[in-house]
Amino acid sequence: MGEETQVRDDLLKALEGAVGARHVLTDPRRTRFYRTGFRTAAGDALAVVRPGSLVEMWRAIEACTRFGAPMIVQAANTGLTGGSTPAPGGYDRPIVIISTLRIGGITPINEGRQAICLPGATLHALESALKPLGREPHSVIGSSCFGASIVGGVCNNSGGSLVRRGVAYTDYALFARSTADGGIELVNHLGIDLGDDPVEILHQLDTGAFPRMADETPGKSASDKDYASQVRDVDADTPARYNADKRCLHEASGSAGKLAVFAVRLDTFALEKDTHTFLVGCNDPAQFATLRRAILSDDRPLPIAAEYLHREAFDLADTYGKDQFLLIEKLGTDRLPRFFALKSRVDAMLERWRWMPANAVDRLLHGLARWLPDHLSPRLREWRDRFEHLLLIKVSAGAVPEMRALLDEWGAGKDAAHVECTPAEAAKAFLHRFVIAGAAIRYRALHTRQSAGVLSLDIALRRNDADWFETLPAEISEQVAHRIYYGHFLCHVLHQDYVLTAGADPDAIKTAMLDLLDRRGARYPAEHNVGHTYPAAPNLAAFYEALDPANLFNPGIGKTSRRKNHKAG
């Protein structure tokens, strides 16, 4: 037995001692779900470790550190750029995935105004825990539809759809970081005295044996409190939010897996009651630019959300997102991670049978959905037929008269209109908007031979950019079969997916697209973070290296070095 093999065997035994043998997975079929991104191909990993407590997680990290094995700490694995899965191409050392899904504790503190959230806790679970207290989390639509984790949102500065709240951010966190000599240390910046011994600190959080009241530390915050003024500055020549923005990079916030985060302390928000949704349509994108400026510039309450979808995006979600829409609507978001894990296992099994068509489960789900009754309201379909550009504007109950008057004035004499949705119509419309990303992935799975794939970009436009709707040059446009535009309109964060024609070169088109965005003054990525898709901006790469000098956690993120101590090569 070679030395390298012996080291791997010893590491696996140490991991089994930390979490139990049944929670150390090495069979590629059982680890496939954890190794595969939502939009990215599977990478390799020595093992997937599934600790059931923070103490077990710490012991697993200690074992990996002792044997020099880098780690990817993963929660729900719902990211769109592969940032919580191994990079294709491998590493200079065997890598271990630490899945935190079994560690889902949530404890409201300070009379529900804040919450302590452990690494496997989901937005859906936090929403459920806070609802009886009349509170809600940072994000309640969008990411919560797919079981996204709270800590994952903080680590990726996820923005979401809520106009007033900005990115997921906190100065209060408990985390492990690497040291320059290759060791690890536990850092408690939760603002709660839990002692000095790592195991005792983590045991208190595991058992909930800590104070339910915590003081605010001067100069620190548990949310992005400045975002409302940030997004209202419609004359600024920079985006409202993007992943490399230094304003929101601090320890766990924006860390992208370069720290092992055990807990975060976050603000909660008063539960919005009796919300109202307007469905707005127009055929000239300049009219929406005028509306955006009017909403943000005037001294009126900010809407809760303002979600944009283009007609082609509507159609793609209608055709290829229907089964996902129905799964969320009927099963609820809390069951989705288990469903996707089961789907991954079935996919892995079917791949062994060469006579089976590629992506057989996707084809089955798509086929079944086609025979089910229409899932969208007649009025939503009518608006899709009338208008190329659609906007869903959700407002608080007290802001309804003012928004109604603004929309009446804005649409007078124009090829534009608005309608007020019933609660059921609004729920369906927002859910339809949020399955677009999954629909693009489904399209790619079903049309592998008919197209060169789907190119997905996540961009933040300048706040003063009136010419927001993209016009592609002919040499790019002729290689794009479908343009799929959607996003968070008032924040000027847009998601743009392109179905490429067969024979097109995705890398060359992406380079040309990013060059166009650079010339427009846009930033990317806006909120999905760099993953293994985008190169980290210089300030972001420096932030990662400072957090993790030994390159022990999530090496290679943002196309940085994958090697020990960030060595080149």
Side-chain angles (χ1 to χ4, degrees):
M1 180 182 294
E3 181 180 350
E4 184 177 328
T5 301
Q6 183 64 56
V7 168
R8 292 185 180 210
D9 288 348
D10 290 345
L11 170 57
L12 290 174
K13 288 179 182 177
L15 292 172
E16 289 175 356
V19 304
R22 68 187 293 258
H23 292 298
V24 178
L25 313 180
T26 57
D27 185 332
R29 287 173 296 180
R30 296 188 67 193
T31 63
R32 182 180 186 273
F33 169 73
Y34 304 91
R35 295 183 294 106
T36 307
F38 202 62
R39 279 180 176 163
T40 54
D44 294 324
L46 173 66
V48 173
V49 181
R50 302 177 63 248
S53 68
L54 295 179
V55 172
E56 287 187 0
M57 180 177 165
W58 171 254
R59 287 175 174 154
I61 291 171
E62 282 187 311
C64 289
T65 304
R66 191 163 62 249
F67 287 92
M71 294 155 273
I72 296 173
V73 181
Q74 177 194 97
N77 193 17
T78 58
L80 297 178
T81 56
S84 58
T85 52
Y91 300 81
D92 62 329
R93 301 156 284 169
I95 197 161
V96 173
I97 297 172
I98 298 179
S99 170
T100 64
L101 288 177
R102 298 176 61 221
I103 315 173
I106 294 170
T107 304
I109 64 171
N110 294 344
E111 298 178 331
R113 296 188 305 276
Q114 291 183 327
I116 302 292
C117 305
L118 304 192
T122 65
L123 281 167
H124 180 272
L126 180 57
E127 186 177 355
S128 299
L130 294 176
K131 193 171 183 179
L133 305 176
R135 309 290 291 180
E136 66 183 14
H138 165 269
S139 181
V140 293
I141 48 179
S143 297
S144 55
C145 289
F146 303 99
S149 73
I150 301 158
V151 168
V154 171
C155 291
N156 288 299
N157 275 159
S158 299
S161 59
L162 299 185
V163 179
R164 308 167 188 168
R165 299 181 190 169
V167 301
Y169 179 87
T170 186
D171 291 317
Y172 297 102
L174 176 72
F175 53 88
R177 64 187 176 194
S178 73
T179 57
D181 61 0
I184 55 167
E185 60 181 358
L186 188 69
V187 178
N188 179 12
H189 285 168
L190 279 176
I192 301 173
D193 185 5
L194 300 170
D196 298 314
D197 178 68
V199 172
E200 177 59 27
I201 289 170
L202 298 172
H203 179 70
Q204 289 183 67
L205 289 171
D206 276 330
T207 59
F210 58 89
R212 295 300 188 267
M213 296 296 294
D215 294 333
E216 296 285 342
T217 303
K220 290 193 173 186
S221 177
S223 63
D224 180 7
K225 291 183 169 64
D226 297 327
Y227 188 69
S229 58
Q230 182 92 349
V231 76
R232 281 191 187 276
D233 189 359
V234 294
D235 292 317
D237 198 33
T238 55
R241 55 179 167 91
Y242 56 100
N243 284 127
D245 187 355
K246 295 179 182 179
R247 194 178 65 87
C248 291
L249 298 177
H250 177 73
E251 295 183 340
S253 297
S255 61
K258 298 304 288 179
L259 299 172
V261 180
F262 290 90
V264 293
R265 172 179 161 190
L266 294 171
D267 285 336
T268 68
F269 303 85
L271 184 65
E272 291 280 359
K273 297 179 180 179
D274 302 321
T275 61
H276 200 84
T277 298
F278 295 86
L279 173 61
V280 189
C282 73
N283 287 306
D284 180 0
Q287 293 176 355
F288 270 176
T290 301
L291 179 60
R292 174 179 173 272
R293 177 170 280 269
I295 291 173
L296 295 176
S297 299
D298 295 342
D299 186 19
R300 56 167 55 89
L302 281 174
I304 298 167
E307 290 300 298
Y308 168 76
L309 61 163
H310 184 255
R311 181 182 283 156
E312 277 196 85
F314 184 108
D315 293 345
L316 183 92
D318 191 16
T319 303
Y320 296 97
K322 182 177 179 180
D323 61 289
Q324 193 172 76
F325 179 108
L326 294 172
L327 281 170
I328 296 170
E329 188 178 54
K330 304 302 182 186
L331 292 182
T333 58
D334 55 330
R335 299 180 183 176
L336 276 188
R338 281 174 286 177
F339 172 82
F340 286 128
L342 175 61
K343 177 182 177 297
S344 180
R345 289 196 293 270
V346 174
D347 284 336
M349 180 185 68
L350 295 180
E351 284 177 358
R352 298 162 56 197
W353 301 340
R354 296 184 179 180
W355 53 270
M356 288 289 293
N359 303 305
V361 176
D362 287 286
R363 295 179 187 278
L364 175 63
L365 292 172
H366 177 67
L368 289 174
R370 291 177 60 189
W371 293 101
L372 295 175
D374 193 358
H375 59 302
L376 300 178
S377 69
R379 190 152 55 170
L380 186 59
R381 292 200 176 279
E382 176 192 350
W383 240 243
R384 176 263 171 222
D385 293 339
R386 285 181 61 184
F387 300 112
E388 181 181 357
H389 306 280
L390 297 177
L391 196 60
L392 292 164
I393 303 178
K394 177 180 282 191
V395 300
S396 302
V400 171
E402 202 167 1
M403 181 58 69
R404 185 183 293 138
L406 172 62
L407 292 173
D408 285 339
E409 180 182 354
W410 166 79
K414 300 185 182 74
D415 184 16
H418 71 274
V419 66
E420 299 179 29
C421 298
T422 66
E425 285 176 326
K428 285 180 175 290
F430 275 107
L431 184 52
H432 186 63
R433 150 65 185 92
F434 288 111
V435 300
I436 295 174
I441 296 168
R442 171 61 55 76
Y443 183 97
R444 181 179 61 186
L446 300 187
H447 298 280
T448 53
R449 296 182 180 178
Q450 292 88 347
S451 78
V454 178
L455 170 64
S456 299
L457 299 179
D458 165 38
I459 69 171
L461 300 179
R462 295 170 298 160
R463 282 169 281 178
N464 65 353
D465 194 346
D467 190 17
W468 64 275
F469 191 72
E470 181 176 71
T471 301
L472 293 175
E475 62 270 19
I476 295 179
S477 184
E478 64 189 13
Q479 300 181 77
V480 176
H482 300 287
R483 298 176 302 165
I484 307 158
Y485 296 154
Y486 53 106
H488 316 307
F489 188 65
L490 295 185
C491 301
H492 253 193
V493 168
L494 295 177
H495 307 306
Q496 301 185 166
D497 300 337
Y498 309 87
V499 178
L500 306 181
T501 59
D505 183 342
D507 291 334
I509 294 175
K510 181 177 181 179
T511 299
M513 293 279 199
L514 296 182
D515 181 62
L516 289 173
L517 291 171
D518 289 339
R519 282 185 266 159
R520 293 176 63 190
R523 300 291 182 92
Y524 49 84
E527 62 176 5
H528 293 161
N529 221 336
V530 290
H532 298 301
T533 302
Y534 299 92
N539 73 292
L540 196 56
F543 175 65
Y544 293 158
E545 188 167 346
L547 290 178
D548 180 24
N551 211 11
L552 194 59
F553 296 106
N554 213 358
I557 194 73
K559 301 186 183 293
T560 58
S561 171
R562 302 183 191 181
R563 299 172 66 84
K564 184 178 180 180
N565 298 327
H566 301 274
K567 293 178 181 177

